[in-house]
Amino acid sequence: MQETEREELARLMKALGHPVRVQIIEILAAEGSCLTGDLSSRVPVAASTTSQHLSQLKEAGLISGTIDGPRRCYCVKPEALEKIHRLLGRLPTCCPA
């Protein structure tokens, strides 16, 4: 694996480094998209904390969001999840004895 790939994988994994962010990705991947208010009611943190998690996921390029007046709708970027799978697949699968 090249250094740039290691850095990219570390950046993406850091964005997924909290159980609530993983849960948000699971919800969005299963449903296609979701409004911020709906997400807030489904994760075990305050709405303001949910918004912070969404911002971190968006900044990492794992999700995208659209604004329609007061409503924000988020969805997973499939290419970002595919990138994680691809980069993880480049790691060795076992350690030498």
Side-chain angles (χ1 to χ4, degrees):
M1 183 180 288
Q2 297 179 356
E3 184 63 26
T4 56
E5 292 173 318
R6 282 188 213 102
E7 290 171 1
E8 179 70 2
L9 180 58
R11 185 183 68 76
L12 292 168
M13 298 306 287
K14 183 177 179 181
L16 291 172
H18 192 284
V20 170
R21 290 195 291 270
V22 173
Q23 185 179 10
I24 290 169
I25 292 292
E26 288 175 325
I27 292 167
L28 294 176
E31 297 186 9
S33 67
C34 200
L35 296 172
T36 305
D38 295 337
L39 282 169
S40 294
S41 68
R42 296 178 63 186
V43 295
V45 295
S48 60
T49 305
T50 301
S51 291
Q52 290 173 348
H53 286 303
L54 288 165
S55 292
Q56 289 176 306
L57 291 169
K58 189 173 179 183
E59 185 177 305
L62 291 168
I63 64 172
S64 61
T66 57
I67 299 172
D68 182 21
R71 299 164 36 134
R72 290 178 186 221
C73 183
Y74 290 93
C75 62
V76 168
K77 291 177 135 182
E79 64 275 10
L81 294 183
E82 290 168 6
K83 181 184 278 189
I84 291 170
H85 286 284
R86 182 178 53 79
L87 291 171
L88 285 173
R90 297 201 46 170
L91 294 173
T93 56
C94 65
C95 299

